Amino acid sequence: MAISRRYFLKSGAVALAGCAATPSFLVRTALAQENRAPGKDHPIIIAIFQRGAADGISMVVPFGDRYYAAARPQIAIPEPMRGADERAIDLDGFFGLHPSLSSLKPIYDQGHLAIVHAAGSPDTTRSHFDAQDYMESGAPGNKGVSDGWLNRYLQVSPEPDASAFRAVALTPALPRSLAGPAAAVSMQRVASFGIHGGKASPELEEMFADLYKDTFDAVKTLRSATQQQYTPTAGVQYPNTPFAQSLQQIAQLIKSNVGVEVAFAEVNGWDTHANQGSSRGRLANDLKSFGDALAALYRDLGDQMRNVVIVTMTEFGRAMRQNGSGGTDHGHASCLFVAGGPVKGGKVYGRWPGLAPEQLYEGRDLALTTDFRNVFSEILVKHMRTPDTARVFPNFKPAAGLQIL
Protein backbone atom coordinates (compact mmCIF):
# COMPACT_ATOMS: atom_id res chain seq x y z
CA MET A 1 0.00 0.00 0.00
CA ALA A 2 1.32 3.39 -0.92
CA ILE A 3 1.72 5.56 2.14
CA SER A 4 0.40 9.03 1.53
CA ARG A 5 0.81 12.05 3.82
CA ARG A 6 -2.94 11.88 4.53
CA TYR A 7 -2.63 8.25 5.60
CA PHE A 8 0.38 9.11 7.68
CA LEU A 9 -1.36 11.89 9.57
CA LYS A 10 -4.51 9.83 10.10
CA SER A 11 -2.71 6.73 11.21
CA GLY A 12 -1.70 8.14 14.54
CA ALA A 13 1.20 5.74 14.64
CA VAL A 14 3.50 8.51 15.75
CA ALA A 15 2.38 11.66 17.49
CA LEU A 16 3.70 14.71 19.20
CA ALA A 17 3.31 14.80 22.93
CA GLY A 18 3.68 17.82 25.16
CA CYS A 19 3.19 20.17 22.25
CA ALA A 20 -0.14 21.96 22.11
CA ALA A 21 0.75 23.82 18.96
CA THR A 22 0.81 22.25 15.55
CA PRO A 23 4.21 21.11 14.34
CA SER A 24 4.35 24.02 11.93
CA PHE A 25 4.77 26.27 14.96
CA LEU A 26 8.21 24.81 15.37
CA VAL A 27 9.31 24.97 11.79
CA ARG A 28 11.28 28.17 11.87
CA THR A 29 12.88 27.74 15.19
CA ALA A 30 15.08 24.81 15.70
CA LEU A 31 18.45 26.43 15.59
CA ALA A 32 17.62 30.07 16.12
CA GLN A 33 17.55 29.89 19.90
CA GLU A 34 21.16 28.89 20.02
CA ASN A 35 22.05 32.45 19.22
CA ARG A 36 19.84 33.97 21.94
CA ALA A 37 21.75 35.27 24.87
CA PRO A 38 20.48 36.40 28.25
CA GLY A 39 20.81 40.04 29.09
CA LYS A 40 18.96 43.30 29.10
CA ASP A 41 17.96 42.72 25.48
CA HIS A 42 15.92 39.68 26.39
CA PRO A 43 12.98 40.76 28.54
CA ILE A 44 10.80 37.97 29.90
CA ILE A 45 7.27 38.02 31.28
CA ILE A 46 5.91 35.23 33.48
CA ALA A 47 2.11 35.29 33.79
CA ILE A 48 0.48 33.31 36.58
CA PHE A 49 -3.27 32.70 36.78
CA GLN A 50 -4.88 31.96 40.15
CA ARG A 51 -7.98 30.14 38.93
CA GLY A 52 -11.09 30.13 41.08
CA ALA A 53 -11.20 33.81 42.11
CA ALA A 54 -8.65 34.42 44.84
CA ASP A 55 -9.64 36.53 47.82
CA GLY A 56 -7.53 39.65 47.43
CA ILE A 57 -8.83 41.02 50.73
CA SER A 58 -7.23 38.09 52.54
CA MET A 59 -4.05 38.00 50.46
CA VAL A 60 -3.33 41.68 51.08
CA VAL A 61 -5.30 42.62 54.17
CA PRO A 62 -6.70 46.17 54.49
CA PHE A 63 -6.49 46.05 58.28
CA GLY A 64 -6.44 49.84 58.40
CA ASP A 65 -9.98 50.03 57.02
CA ARG A 66 -12.31 50.07 60.02
CA TYR A 67 -15.00 48.16 58.18
CA TYR A 68 -12.77 45.18 57.39
CA ALA A 69 -12.79 43.08 60.55
CA ALA A 70 -16.47 43.61 61.31
CA ALA A 71 -17.51 42.19 57.94
CA ARG A 72 -15.56 39.00 58.53
CA PRO A 73 -15.92 38.07 62.19
CA GLN A 74 -14.50 34.54 61.86
CA ILE A 75 -12.21 34.81 58.84
CA ALA A 76 -10.61 38.26 59.11
CA ILE A 77 -6.84 38.26 59.46
CA PRO A 78 -5.84 39.94 62.75
CA GLU A 79 -4.04 43.23 62.39
CA PRO A 80 -0.28 43.27 62.87
CA MET A 81 1.16 43.24 66.34
CA ARG A 82 4.85 43.36 67.06
CA GLY A 83 6.20 40.01 68.15
CA ALA A 84 2.93 38.19 67.47
CA ASP A 85 2.55 35.43 64.89
CA GLU A 86 -0.41 34.50 62.72
CA ARG A 87 -1.35 38.11 62.12
CA ALA A 88 -1.13 40.30 59.04
CA ILE A 89 2.42 41.29 58.12
CA ASP A 90 2.51 45.07 58.04
CA LEU A 91 3.40 46.61 54.70
CA ASP A 92 2.63 50.29 55.11
CA GLY A 93 0.49 50.78 58.20
CA PHE A 94 -2.75 50.17 56.29
CA PHE A 95 -2.21 46.97 54.28
CA GLY A 96 -0.61 43.73 55.42
CA LEU A 97 0.31 40.44 53.79
CA HIS A 98 -1.48 37.31 54.89
CA PRO A 99 0.92 35.59 57.31
CA SER A 100 1.15 32.62 54.95
CA LEU A 101 2.72 34.93 52.38
CA SER A 102 5.64 35.77 54.65
CA SER A 103 8.15 34.46 52.11
CA LEU A 104 7.20 37.36 49.82
CA LYS A 105 7.94 40.05 52.41
CA PRO A 106 11.73 40.12 51.81
CA ILE A 107 11.11 40.72 48.09
CA TYR A 108 8.69 43.52 48.98
CA ASP A 109 11.25 45.03 51.34
CA GLN A 110 13.94 44.82 48.65
CA GLY A 111 11.70 46.93 46.42
CA HIS A 112 11.04 44.26 43.80
CA LEU A 113 7.49 43.22 44.70
CA ALA A 114 4.57 45.54 44.04
CA ILE A 115 0.92 44.96 44.79
CA VAL A 116 -1.98 46.49 42.90
CA HIS A 117 -5.09 46.40 45.04
CA ALA A 118 -8.73 46.77 44.06
CA ALA A 119 -7.69 45.54 40.62
CA GLY A 120 -9.23 43.15 38.13
CA SER A 121 -11.71 42.98 35.31
CA PRO A 122 -14.37 45.65 34.90
CA ASP A 123 -16.82 43.09 33.57
CA THR A 124 -19.59 42.31 36.03
CA THR A 125 -19.94 38.58 35.46
CA ARG A 126 -19.63 36.29 38.46
CA SER A 127 -19.12 33.26 36.23
CA HIS A 128 -15.66 31.70 36.58
CA PHE A 129 -15.72 30.49 33.00
CA ASP A 130 -16.69 33.81 31.46
CA ALA A 131 -14.46 35.90 33.72
CA GLN A 132 -11.38 33.77 33.03
CA ASP A 133 -12.15 33.86 29.34
CA TYR A 134 -12.48 37.64 29.35
CA MET A 135 -9.28 38.14 31.31
CA GLU A 136 -7.25 35.75 29.19
CA SER A 137 -8.57 37.20 25.97
CA GLY A 138 -7.82 40.68 27.32
CA ALA A 139 -11.27 41.76 26.21
CA PRO A 140 -13.75 41.94 29.12
CA GLY A 141 -17.33 41.42 28.02
CA ASN A 142 -16.38 40.58 24.45
CA LYS A 143 -16.89 36.96 23.43
CA GLY A 144 -15.94 37.72 19.85
CA VAL A 145 -12.18 37.78 20.50
CA SER A 146 -10.72 34.40 19.61
CA ASP A 147 -7.07 34.77 20.58
CA GLY A 148 -5.42 35.51 23.89
CA TRP A 149 -3.69 38.70 25.02
CA LEU A 150 -0.27 37.07 25.27
CA ASN A 151 -0.63 35.62 21.80
CA ARG A 152 -1.52 39.05 20.43
CA TYR A 153 1.57 40.41 22.13
CA LEU A 154 3.58 37.84 20.18
CA GLN A 155 1.79 38.87 16.99
CA VAL A 156 2.52 42.59 17.38
CA SER A 157 6.13 41.92 18.37
CA PRO A 158 7.17 39.34 15.79
CA GLU A 159 10.63 37.86 15.83
CA PRO A 160 11.40 35.99 12.60
CA ASP A 161 14.20 34.01 14.20
CA ALA A 162 12.46 33.38 17.49
CA SER A 163 12.95 30.19 19.41
CA ALA A 164 10.34 27.43 19.34
CA PHE A 165 10.16 28.06 23.06
CA ARG A 166 9.56 31.80 22.84
CA ALA A 167 6.15 31.28 24.45
CA VAL A 168 5.77 28.34 26.82
CA ALA A 169 2.97 27.26 29.14
CA LEU A 170 3.64 24.71 31.86
CA THR A 171 0.06 23.51 31.68
CA PRO A 172 -1.79 20.40 30.45
CA ALA A 173 -3.21 22.35 27.49
CA LEU A 174 -2.43 25.63 25.84
CA PRO A 175 -4.11 28.34 27.94
CA ARG A 176 -6.55 30.83 26.47
CA SER A 177 -3.98 33.60 27.07
CA LEU A 178 -1.61 32.01 24.53
CA ALA A 179 -4.18 30.75 22.05
CA GLY A 180 -3.94 32.21 18.59
CA PRO A 181 -1.91 32.22 15.39
CA ALA A 182 1.46 33.03 16.97
CA ALA A 183 3.65 30.12 17.96
CA ALA A 184 3.29 28.80 21.50
CA VAL A 185 3.76 25.44 23.13
CA SER A 186 2.53 23.85 26.32
CA MET A 187 3.97 21.01 28.32
CA GLN A 188 3.32 19.60 31.75
CA ARG A 189 6.89 18.56 32.24
CA VAL A 190 10.05 19.58 30.43
CA ALA A 191 11.25 16.00 30.53
CA SER A 192 8.12 14.77 28.78
CA PHE A 193 8.31 17.23 25.92
CA GLY A 194 9.10 15.21 22.85
CA ILE A 195 7.77 12.85 20.27
CA HIS A 196 6.12 9.70 21.38
CA GLY A 197 4.29 7.01 19.54
CA GLY A 198 3.31 3.45 19.23
CA LYS A 199 4.92 0.86 17.10
CA ALA A 200 5.58 2.12 13.60
CA SER A 201 7.40 0.77 10.62
CA PRO A 202 10.82 2.21 9.72
CA GLU A 203 9.19 3.63 6.60
CA LEU A 204 6.65 5.55 8.64
CA GLU A 205 9.24 6.80 11.08
CA GLU A 206 11.44 7.99 8.24
CA MET A 207 8.53 9.82 6.65
CA PHE A 208 7.61 11.47 9.94
CA ALA A 209 11.16 12.61 10.54
CA ASP A 210 11.33 14.04 7.05
CA LEU A 211 8.02 15.89 7.36
CA TYR A 212 8.80 17.35 10.78
CA LYS A 213 12.55 17.66 10.74
CA ASP A 214 12.48 21.02 12.49
CA THR A 215 10.24 19.63 15.18
CA PHE A 216 12.72 16.87 15.83
CA ASP A 217 15.50 19.43 15.90
CA ALA A 218 13.62 21.58 18.41
CA VAL A 219 13.04 18.62 20.68
CA LYS A 220 16.71 17.71 20.44
CA THR A 221 17.68 21.26 21.29
CA LEU A 222 15.48 21.28 24.38
CA ARG A 223 16.76 17.92 25.52
CA SER A 224 20.32 19.02 24.97
CA ALA A 225 19.79 22.18 26.99
CA THR A 226 18.01 20.41 29.82
CA GLN A 227 19.63 17.01 29.81
CA GLN A 228 21.13 17.41 33.24
CA GLN A 229 18.86 16.89 36.21
CA TYR A 230 17.88 20.36 37.26
CA THR A 231 19.17 21.66 40.54
CA PRO A 232 17.82 24.99 41.77
CA THR A 233 20.13 27.66 43.11
CA ALA A 234 21.74 26.67 46.39
CA GLY A 235 19.38 27.19 49.28
CA VAL A 236 16.25 27.34 47.13
CA GLN A 237 13.62 24.70 47.73
CA TYR A 238 10.35 24.65 45.82
CA PRO A 239 7.22 23.34 47.57
CA ASN A 240 6.15 19.88 46.51
CA THR A 241 3.08 20.99 44.57
CA PRO A 242 2.27 20.86 40.85
CA PHE A 243 2.24 24.66 40.69
CA ALA A 244 5.65 24.98 42.33
CA GLN A 245 7.05 22.32 40.02
CA SER A 246 5.76 24.25 37.02
CA LEU A 247 7.56 27.37 38.26
CA GLN A 248 10.71 25.36 38.81
CA GLN A 249 10.56 24.16 35.23
CA ILE A 250 10.06 27.72 33.98
CA ALA A 251 13.22 28.63 35.87
CA GLN A 252 14.95 25.66 34.28
CA LEU A 253 13.94 26.74 30.79
CA ILE A 254 15.01 30.34 31.36
CA LYS A 255 18.35 29.34 32.83
CA SER A 256 18.88 26.85 29.98
CA ASN A 257 18.73 29.76 27.55
CA VAL A 258 16.33 28.17 25.09
CA GLY A 259 14.83 31.56 24.20
CA VAL A 260 11.85 31.84 26.57
CA GLU A 261 10.22 35.26 26.33
CA VAL A 262 6.70 34.51 27.59
CA ALA A 263 5.95 31.88 30.23
CA PHE A 264 2.62 30.92 31.72
CA ALA A 265 1.62 28.89 34.77
CA GLU A 266 -1.62 28.39 36.64
CA VAL A 267 -2.77 27.28 40.05
CA ASN A 268 -6.31 26.16 40.86
CA GLY A 269 -8.33 25.97 44.04
CA TRP A 270 -9.12 29.55 45.04
CA ASP A 271 -12.92 29.20 45.08
CA THR A 272 -13.33 29.41 48.86
CA HIS A 273 -17.09 29.27 49.41
CA ALA A 274 -16.77 27.30 52.65
CA ASN A 275 -14.32 26.91 55.52
CA GLN A 276 -11.98 29.55 54.16
CA GLY A 277 -10.21 29.99 57.46
CA SER A 278 -8.25 32.94 58.76
CA SER A 279 -4.54 32.82 59.64
CA ARG A 280 -4.92 29.06 59.55
CA GLY A 281 -7.06 26.86 57.41
CA ARG A 282 -7.70 26.09 53.78
CA LEU A 283 -6.84 29.45 52.28
CA ALA A 284 -3.81 29.86 54.54
CA ASN A 285 -2.45 26.52 53.38
CA ASP A 286 -2.95 27.40 49.72
CA LEU A 287 -1.37 30.83 50.18
CA LYS A 288 1.61 29.26 51.91
CA SER A 289 2.42 27.02 48.96
CA PHE A 290 1.64 29.82 46.49
CA GLY A 291 3.85 32.40 48.17
CA ASP A 292 6.67 29.96 48.84
CA ALA A 293 6.62 28.90 45.18
CA LEU A 294 6.79 32.50 43.93
CA ALA A 295 9.61 33.31 46.33
CA ALA A 296 11.50 30.18 45.26
CA LEU A 297 11.18 31.15 41.59
CA TYR A 298 12.40 34.67 42.36
CA ARG A 299 15.43 33.47 44.32
CA ASP A 300 16.18 30.64 41.91
CA LEU A 301 16.44 33.01 38.95
CA GLY A 302 18.75 35.24 40.94
CA ASP A 303 20.50 37.83 38.76
CA GLN A 304 18.35 36.86 35.79
CA MET A 305 15.37 38.50 37.53
CA ARG A 306 16.79 41.75 36.16
CA ASN A 307 15.18 40.72 32.88
CA VAL A 308 12.02 39.19 34.30
CA VAL A 309 8.63 40.53 35.37
CA ILE A 310 6.20 38.17 37.08
CA VAL A 311 2.53 39.17 37.12
CA THR A 312 -0.32 37.31 38.78
CA MET A 313 -4.01 37.51 37.99
CA THR A 314 -7.33 36.05 39.07
CA GLU A 315 -10.71 36.30 37.37
CA PHE A 316 -12.43 38.24 40.18
CA GLY A 317 -12.30 38.63 43.94
CA ARG A 318 -14.52 37.50 46.77
CA ALA A 319 -17.48 39.15 48.46
CA MET A 320 -16.58 41.48 51.31
CA ARG A 321 -18.73 39.74 53.93
CA GLN A 322 -18.22 36.14 54.94
CA ASN A 323 -21.11 33.79 54.24
CA GLY A 324 -22.86 31.27 56.49
CA SER A 325 -20.41 28.53 55.59
CA GLY A 326 -17.35 30.35 56.83
CA GLY A 327 -16.32 31.26 53.32
CA THR A 328 -16.80 34.01 50.79
CA ASP A 329 -18.90 34.12 47.64
CA HIS A 330 -17.99 35.48 44.25
CA GLY A 331 -17.07 39.14 44.31
CA HIS A 332 -15.59 41.77 42.04
CA ALA A 333 -12.12 43.33 42.53
CA SER A 334 -9.10 41.48 43.92
CA CYS A 335 -5.37 42.23 43.85
CA LEU A 336 -2.39 41.49 41.60
CA PHE A 337 1.25 40.85 42.42
CA VAL A 338 3.99 42.22 40.18
CA ALA A 339 7.58 41.17 40.89
CA GLY A 340 10.91 41.47 39.14
CA GLY A 341 14.10 43.40 38.75
CA PRO A 342 12.52 46.27 36.81
CA VAL A 343 9.61 46.59 39.26
CA LYS A 344 9.36 49.60 41.57
CA GLY A 345 8.15 47.51 44.45
CA GLY A 346 7.80 47.97 48.16
CA LYS A 347 4.47 49.68 47.59
CA VAL A 348 0.77 48.93 47.33
CA TYR A 349 -0.48 50.62 44.17
CA GLY A 350 -3.96 51.65 43.13
CA ARG A 351 -6.66 53.79 44.70
CA TRP A 352 -8.29 52.15 47.70
CA PRO A 353 -12.07 52.50 47.29
CA GLY A 354 -12.96 51.80 50.92
CA LEU A 355 -15.11 49.14 52.55
CA ALA A 356 -17.93 51.27 53.98
CA PRO A 357 -21.28 49.87 52.83
CA GLU A 358 -21.84 52.75 50.44
CA GLN A 359 -18.36 52.23 48.94
CA LEU A 360 -18.83 48.58 48.04
CA TYR A 361 -19.62 47.48 44.50
CA GLU A 362 -23.31 46.57 44.39
CA GLY A 363 -23.30 46.92 48.18
CA ARG A 364 -21.31 43.71 48.69
CA ASP A 365 -17.93 43.61 46.91
CA LEU A 366 -14.63 45.45 46.84
CA ALA A 367 -15.02 48.05 44.11
CA LEU A 368 -12.60 48.04 41.21
CA THR A 369 -10.32 51.04 40.72
CA THR A 370 -7.61 49.55 38.46
CA ASP A 371 -8.43 47.71 35.25
CA PHE A 372 -6.04 44.76 34.86
CA ARG A 373 -5.32 45.91 31.32
CA ASN A 374 -3.66 49.06 32.67
CA VAL A 375 -1.19 46.93 34.61
CA PHE A 376 -0.58 44.54 31.73
CA SER A 377 -0.20 47.42 29.26
CA GLU A 378 2.43 49.09 31.40
CA ILE A 379 4.41 45.84 31.58
CA LEU A 380 4.17 45.29 27.84
CA VAL A 381 5.20 48.83 26.95
CA LYS A 382 7.94 49.46 29.50
CA HIS A 383 9.34 45.98 29.92
CA MET A 384 8.50 44.04 26.78
CA ARG A 385 8.81 47.13 24.53
CA THR A 386 5.54 46.49 22.78
CA PRO A 387 4.95 49.04 20.04
CA ASP A 388 1.16 48.79 20.00
CA THR A 389 -0.97 47.69 22.96
CA ALA A 390 -4.12 48.80 21.14
CA ARG A 391 -3.89 45.56 19.16
CA VAL A 392 -3.22 43.55 22.31
CA PHE A 393 -6.21 44.99 24.15
CA PRO A 394 -8.85 45.85 21.55
CA ASN A 395 -11.17 48.80 22.22
CA PHE A 396 -9.20 49.74 25.31
CA LYS A 397 -7.32 52.96 25.95
CA PRO A 398 -4.92 52.64 28.89
CA ALA A 399 -5.18 55.19 31.64
CA ALA A 400 -2.11 56.94 32.98
CA GLY A 401 0.33 54.25 34.08
CA LEU A 402 0.72 53.38 37.73
CA GLN A 403 4.49 53.76 37.30
CA ILE A 404 5.10 50.26 38.63
CA LEU A 405 8.08 49.97 36.28
Side-chain angles (χ1 to χ4, degrees), residues 30 35 41 47 57 70 97 124 191 226 230 267 279 301 325 378 390-392 399:
N35 297 322
D41 292 330
I57 298 173
L97 281 176
T124 58
T226 60
Y230 181 69
V267 53
S279 297
L301 286 175
S325 300
E378 185 172 347
R391 289 181 56 194
V392 179

Side-chain angles (χ1 to χ4, degrees), residues 215-381:
T215 301
F216 276 81
D217 288 343
V219 171
K220 289 178 181 177
T221 299
L222 180 61
R223 287 180 175 173
S224 175
T226 60
Q227 61 182 337
Q228 301 295 328
Q229 183 175 0
Y230 181 69
T231 302
T233 299
V236 173
Q237 184 171 3
Y238 288 85
N240 186 25
T241 64
F243 171 63
Q245 296 309 304
S246 68
L247 296 192
Q248 177 175 314
Q249 291 178 90
I250 287 174
Q252 179 183 10
L253 289 170
I254 292 174
K255 293 165 79 172
S256 297
N257 192 29
V258 294
V260 174
E261 184 175 316
V262 176
F264 183 96
E266 61 188 11
V267 53
N268 297 302
W270 302 99
D271 199 14
T272 51
H273 285 284
N275 303 318
Q276 178 169 314
S278 175
S279 297
R280 295 182 181 181
R282 173 188 170 186
L283 181 62
N285 294 337
D286 289 342
L287 287 175
K288 174 67 175 170
S289 60
F290 176 73
D292 286 358
L294 283 182
L297 172 65
Y298 184 91
R299 293 191 292 123
D300 192 12
L301 286 175
D303 289 343
Q304 294 198 47
M305 281 303 302
R306 70 186 185 277
N307 300 322
V308 177
V309 169
I310 303 168
V311 60
T312 71
M313 66 201 78
T314 192
E315 64 264 37
F316 46 70
R318 314 297 302 182
M320 177 55 206
R321 301 178 185 86
Q322 72 176 69
N323 60 28
S325 300
T328 49
D329 296 324
H330 297 179
H332 192 44
S334 186
C335 69
L336 310 177
F337 295 97
V338 186
V343 175
K344 299 174 183 174
K347 180 178 178 180
V348 180
Y349 288 83
R351 182 177 65 82
W352 182 246
L355 297 177
E358 66 276 14
Q359 295 172 319
L360 297 177
Y361 175 73
E362 295 185 344
R364 46 164 287 173
D365 301 329
L366 177 65
L368 185 140
T369 60
T370 298
D371 189 313
F372 72 96
R373 292 170 293 184
N374 278 317
V375 180
F376 294 3
S377 293
E378 185 172 347
I379 294 171
L380 293 184
V381 171

Side-chain angles (χ1 to χ4, degrees), residues 3 6-16 195-205 208:
I3 301 174
R6 177 183 295 275
Y7 166 81
F8 173 74
L9 292 175
K10 288 180 66 176
S11 71
V14 187
L16 276 172
I195 301 168
H196 305 266
K199 188 176 182 180
S201 68
E203 187 181 13
L204 273 176
E205 291 180 350
F208 189 88

